[in-house]
Amino acid sequence: MLEIKDLRVNLEDENKEILKGVDLSVEAGKVHAIMGPNGSGKSTLSYVLSGKDGYEVVGGSVKLDGLDILEMEPEERAAAGLFLAFQYPVEIPGVGNMTFLRTAVNSQRKARGEDEISATDFLKQVRERAKSLQIDAEMLKRPVNVGFSGGEKKRNEILQMAMLEPRMCILDETDSGLDVDAMKLVAEGVNALRDAGRGFLVITHYQRLLDHIKPDVVHIMANGKIVKTGGPELALEVENNGYSEILSEVA
Amino acid sequence: MAIKQQKFDPIEDATFQVANKNRGWSQKAREGALKRLSTMGMPSRRDEYWKYTNPTELLTEKLSVSPVVGLEDANIFSELDALKIVFCDGVFNPDLSDDLAAENIIISRLEENGDLHWAKNYYGLLEEKAQRPVSRSLAALNTAIASDGALIHVKGKVEKPIQILGIRNNTAEAILHHVIKVEKDCSITLLESGPFAKRLNSVMEVFLDEGASLEHIRAQGRDHDRLAVTHVFADIKENAKFKSFTLSANGMLTRNECVLTLSGDECAAHVAGASVGDGKSFHHDDTVFITHDAVACESRQVFKKVLRNGATGVFQGKILVKEGAQKTDGYQISQSLLLDEDSQFLAKPELEIYADDVACSHGSTSGAIDEEALFYLCSRGISKNDAADMLTLAFLAEAVEEIENDKIADIIVEKISAWLSRRRN
Ligand SMILES: Nc1ncnc2c1ncn2[C@@H]1O[C@H](COP(=O)(O)OP(=O)(O)O)[C@@H](O)[C@H]1O
Ligand SMILES: [Mg+2]
């Protein structure tokens, strides 16, 4: 479903190479995890996939269901089914959470040539999905992420994911800053969306999230490259021995 | 001998007008205003008070007539059930207006030339007071030669909002002067909209008695060649509440002055503005002067401007806290969203405080669209244009939220959205 081939990316401003040839394929129905030390390029990968400015793709390709997404605008990628749960969700004063969600859902529908969702169906869906993430009505009314705690922001990301029903979900350190209960809640939200047609790329620094979201494949990223790929046991290896052992092993 | 072309002199012109027409009960006030005007002279670019806005175009003679804007187009509040007072080419038009007779309110027009009128003791009073410490010559000129205006006396509960609506057919100029007096504990919602004229000089004097309240919502827009200088003066007594919000879109040169005196204890004055301008010819100036002259009063100024394609926004806002005006709570914020590097925002916030137990704050910022927020919205499937519009509306929200009536606030938001999407085409 998602095919990344030899992806090379520079910072636009500094001509600094950050991704140095990333190869990665996520099949429908599978959960892939990317682990790696800080600064290895995980967030950069997620931003480049979703189309953020400031990066220059100098080589390689990215295809989503066979379509070259690097040529698309961020909103087109979203309508094509790509979703990024941000490591640092942005606060947007003055834009109500509900208005934002409904505009996003309808923009994607419109881009795909579908009808807008009716106001009642939308409300029903939001309430239902917000409830299971323990997001209350008051939070839905507030401006997007403004005054939300770290955990609330992450849960809000998962709510957006649940409402937009993307085919390819990328989660960037969704576990950072969460206590155990909040992490369980988020993991349940993600697990509820797992199905045969949907792929996941779960970026995390620690193994603990992967106790709750069981990955099919684990990749280790270091210095802008995938340096090792394996099964769930690879995450445990990181947990027990840290990154340095794996890195010295592949060096 | 060559004949030198005489330059148009607004004061000479006003002198001629005042001398040649007797305006009944308002004549004395008009003569007084003319006298002040002669002493003060007309403003020029050299005046500190006109540092950021060139008044020249407000003073020149004769303007060519430009396309007509009809009533429907002019009335952005058409879906509200309001009592309409319509001015066409600067003159009250009874045919287009609603029946002015309503319960608890007396509405008449300035051009009623009898000798006695309740407004006799009020017409020009606040304008005259507001000539110190800075001259507002264009307001004095207005008092001297205003062609018409609405005189509104509120004496009890008024069912509907009152709407002053201006349209234009043939004349390029309009000089209107309104007087609003709200009696003790009474309240009024006052709407004002329409192009009025290519060049408008408008004065509104508001007298709020104890516990009275006024919510004024004004829309300036849909007239691309507008030149306007407006003054809202208010005297606010004990426990009274004054609110004024202005939406400005388009136009060429607009100077909106608001001069408020909080003269009774525990009263409040909130003035807000949202303006959106596109193009080098757009110049919008909000000049506010608030005087705290009583104890425990609250004032708020919230001004937001969205500027693009070389548009200019100006904000001059002053809070003067007089000796003895203890427990004053003064707040002022002026912000601009610059959608490109050609646009500019000039702000001059001022505080002058002669009391010691006072909480006053002011802030002014200029900024571009938040790229992080823009990307966040786009990453959820919202188009770049729509996302930019959402962020623009969000930026203006703090000013629009000053409107108490939700229905009116919705209309304003709708108009801004329409303006934003029109810009795309
Ligand atoms: N906008 C940027 N400006 C400067 N350096 C950046 C920028 N984005 C990423 N980097 C650098 O790129 C490297 C990878 O960062 P990042 O993708 O955030 O790593 P990770 O998410 O794995 O911690 C780091 O060295 C970081 O400092
Ligand atoms: Mg990161």
Side-chain angles (χ1 to χ4, degrees):
Chain A
M1 170 155 44
L2 180 70
E3 279 180 277
I4 306 170
K5 286 210 176 110
D6 194 29
L7 183 65
R8 292 166 188 275
V9 172
N10 285 2
L11 273 182
E12 221 161 52
D13 295 339
E14 299 175 25
N15 208 8
K16 178 177 157 192
E17 192 177 34
I18 306 222
L19 298 184
K20 302 170 181 172
V22 174
D23 285 286
L24 181 71
S25 289
V26 180
E27 310 79 21
K30 295 286 196 262
V31 175
H32 284 230
I34 300 184
M35 302 182 74
N38 279 330
S40 55
K42 305 183 297 294
S43 291
T44 302
L45 176 63
S46 73
Y47 286 144
V48 171
L49 292 178
S50 48
K52 195 177 185 190
D53 282 344
Y55 303 98
E56 190 192 352
V57 176
V58 291
S61 67
V62 179
K63 287 190 172 155
L64 180 66
D65 294 323
L67 294 173
D68 176 3
I69 61 165
L70 293 179
E71 291 300 311
M72 298 181 186
E73 295 296 326
E75 61 269 27
E76 294 170 333
R77 300 180 195 203
L82 191 81
F83 180 90
L84 167 64
F86 285 64
Q87 180 172 3
Y88 304 107
V90 183
E91 298 192 5
I92 312 184
V95 175
N97 220 358
M98 283 292 242
T99 313
F100 162 56
L101 270 174
R102 206 175 61 227
T103 310
V105 168
N106 283 331
S107 298
Q108 292 202 13
R109 285 181 169 231
K110 200 173 135 201
R112 292 192 292 255
E114 299 164 11
D115 286 340
E116 291 199 348
I117 189 171
S118 79
T120 42
D121 284 354
F122 172 78
L123 263 181
K124 209 175 131 220
Q125 277 186 23
V126 174
R127 288 215 183 103
E128 218 173 75
R129 291 168 199 187
K131 198 175 161 207
S132 58
L133 287 161
Q134 297 186 8
I135 292 173
D136 59 24
E138 198 264 334
M139 248 174 87
L140 288 172
K141 272 193 222 141
R142 291 208 317 243
V144 180
N145 294 325
V146 176
F148 287 26
S149 70
E152 285 172 336
K153 284 181 184 166
K154 297 298 173 82
R155 277 185 276 149
N156 202 29
E157 294 291 291
I158 303 303
L159 174 64
Q160 291 166 37
M161 191 165 89
M163 289 304 297
L164 294 167
E165 302 178 339
R167 300 238 304 122
M168 182 65 224
C169 309
I170 305 167
L171 287 83
D172 189 4
E173 304 222 14
T174 300
D175 53 335
S176 66
L178 296 188
D179 60 28
V180 179
D181 290 337
M183 189 163 60
K184 275 189 187 153
L185 214 55
V186 163
E188 276 166 28
V190 172
N191 288 330
L193 285 168
R194 284 179 79 156
D195 75 27
R198 190 168 279 141
F200 286 87
L201 191 57
V202 180
I203 298 171
T204 181
H205 189 73
Y206 301 104
Q207 193 268 341
R208 56 174 202 166
L209 180 67
L210 303 179
D211 286 341
H212 301 284
I213 305 173
K214 296 258 185 298
D216 298 296
V217 182
V218 175
H219 308 272
I220 306 295
M221 189 168 191
N223 194 22
K225 281 177 121 161
I226 304 290
V227 293
K228 192 167 182 182
T229 297
E233 74 285 350
L234 194 51
L236 286 172
E237 210 182 309
V238 171
E239 174 79 355
N240 295 331
N241 308 332
Y243 286 110
S244 48
E245 195 157 312
I246 298 173
L247 296 184
S248 59
E249 182 185 309
V250 296
Chain B
M1 198 172 84
I3 296 167
K4 207 173 133 201
Q5 181 80 36
Q6 273 287 303
K7 214 175 143 224
F8 176 72
D9 180 348
I11 298 179
E12 214 167 84
D13 179 65
T15 308
F16 179 82
Q17 288 195 42
V18 172
N20 282 278
K21 197 170 175 198
N22 189 330
R23 312 296 272 270
W25 61 267
S26 68
Q27 185 65 18
K28 209 171 152 231
R30 289 171 185 270
E31 285 165 6
L34 182 63
K35 214 168 151 192
R36 297 194 269 290
L37 181 63
S38 311
T39 318
M40 296 185 292
M42 295 311 274
S44 85
R45 196 74 204 260
R46 286 186 300 279
D47 294 336
E48 180 66 18
Y49 214 49
W50 289 87
K51 190 170 160 185
Y52 302 119
T53 298
N54 186 350
T56 312
E57 281 186 281
L58 298 167
L59 307 171
T60 54
E61 195 187 12
K62 299 281 180 267
L63 294 168
S64 61
V65 184
S66 42
V68 171
V69 178
L71 184 62
E72 259 160 55
D73 223 3
N75 186 5
I76 81 154
F77 299 116
S78 57
E79 65 195 76
L80 296 174
D81 181 22
L83 191 156
K84 287 194 291 295
I85 310 169
V86 181
F87 294 90
C88 183
D89 293 335
V91 180
F92 173 71
N93 185 313
D95 298 332
L96 296 173
S97 300
D98 291 331
D99 181 359
L100 300 187
E103 236 178 301
N104 295 324
I105 186 166
I106 296 172
I107 303 172
S108 50
R109 57 184 292 207
L110 177 56
E111 267 308 87
E112 267 167 19
N113 290 336
D115 285 336
L116 273 178
H117 195 284
W118 66 264
K120 187 173 178 176
N121 296 327
Y122 299 97
Y123 182 83
L125 188 68
L126 297 183
E127 173 264 301
E128 180 180 7
K129 277 193 183 158
Q131 299 300 349
R132 284 168 305 273
V134 272
S135 303
R136 298 168 214 275
S137 309
L138 286 158
L141 176 75
N142 179 301
T143 302
I145 62 170
S147 57
D148 216 335
L151 309 170
I152 300 174
H153 192 176
V154 183
K155 298 175 152 184
K157 190 174 159 34
V158 182
E159 278 307 313
K160 298 179 185 180
I162 306 298
Q163 180 177 12
I164 296 173
L165 183 59
I167 55 169
R168 64 199 240 202
N169 278 330
N170 305 309
T171 318
E173 308 260 354
I175 303 180
L176 294 170
H177 193 121
H178 313 293
V179 180
I180 323 288
K181 179 161 169 50
V182 187
E183 294 292 337
K184 187 168 185 282
D185 297 327
C186 298
S187 64
I188 180 178
T189 299
L190 184 66
L191 308 170
E192 195 183 352
S193 69
F196 288 98
K198 178 170 178 174
R199 185 163 66 192
L200 170 71
N201 178 336
S202 144
V203 165
M204 180 180 284
E205 296 184 277
V206 177
F207 297 84
L208 295 184
D209 243 319
E210 282 168 34
S213 71
L214 169 120
E215 175 155 35
H216 173 230
I217 296 110
R218 172 166 62 173
Q220 299 171 316
R222 307 247 49 186
D223 42 344
H224 290 265
D225 56 356
R226 174 182 69 247
L227 301 169
V229 55
T230 76
H231 289 84
V232 175
F233 300 105
D235 179 57
I236 306 157
K237 292 277 186 270
E238 201 173 315
N239 283 314
K241 186 168 187 184
F242 171 93
K243 295 201 70 152
S244 177
F245 170 89
T246 301
L247 168 69
S248 310
N250 306 326
M252 284 181 6
L253 174 60
T254 309
R255 161 98 160 199
N256 291 332
E257 289 199 36
C258 194
V259 186
L260 313 174
T261 305
L262 293 86
S263 61
D265 294 348
E266 292 180 46
C267 70
H270 296 183
V271 47
S275 49
V276 288
D278 190 333
K280 280 204 163 39
S281 61
F282 178 91
H283 183 109
H284 185 93
D285 175 335
D286 283 299
T287 291
V288 181
F289 198 116
I290 293 183
T291 304
H292 281 261
D293 196 10
V295 174
C297 297
E298 187 221 344
S299 71
R300 258 176 92 76
Q301 302 169 53
V302 181
F303 286 87
K304 300 260 185 167
K305 297 184 205 297
V306 175
L307 305 166
R308 80 165 85 178
N309 289 329
T312 300
V314 174
F315 175 77
Q316 304 188 98
K318 178 158 182 169
I319 305 174
L320 167 64
V321 181
K322 288 204 172 173
E323 208 182 311
Q326 302 297 6
K327 304 210 162 14
T328 285
D329 179 359
Y331 173 79
Q332 179 195 91
I333 182 101
S334 67
Q335 293 180 311
S336 75
L337 179 64
L338 304 175
L339 296 180
D340 51 58
E341 281 169 10
D342 300 333
S343 302
Q344 60 169 344
F345 177 56
L346 307 162
K348 188 180 170 195
E350 274 183 288
L351 292 175
E352 195 178 326
I353 300 174
Y354 298 100
D356 49 24
D357 182 10
V358 163
C360 279
S361 66
H362 66 77
S364 180
T365 63
S366 271
I369 287 249
D370 178 350
E371 290 295 331
E372 295 286 326
L374 193 67
F375 173 65
Y376 189 76
L377 295 175
C378 293
S379 78
R380 298 306 182 236
I382 300 169
S383 74
K384 202 164 182 179
N385 283 344
D386 287 351
D389 288 357
M390 281 175 95
L391 294 176
T392 305
L393 275 174
F395 166 79
L396 293 170
E398 193 189 350
V400 177
E401 277 160 15
E402 291 291 314
I403 301 172
E404 245 156 57
N405 183 317
D406 288 341
K407 211 168 158 189
I408 297 175
D410 287 346
I411 293 173
I412 297 291
V413 168
E414 214 176 277
K415 291 300 148 186
I416 300 171
S417 305
W419 184 88
L420 290 169
S421 61
R422 263 203 311 280
R423 296 290 106 184
R424 304 269 175 232
N425 305 322

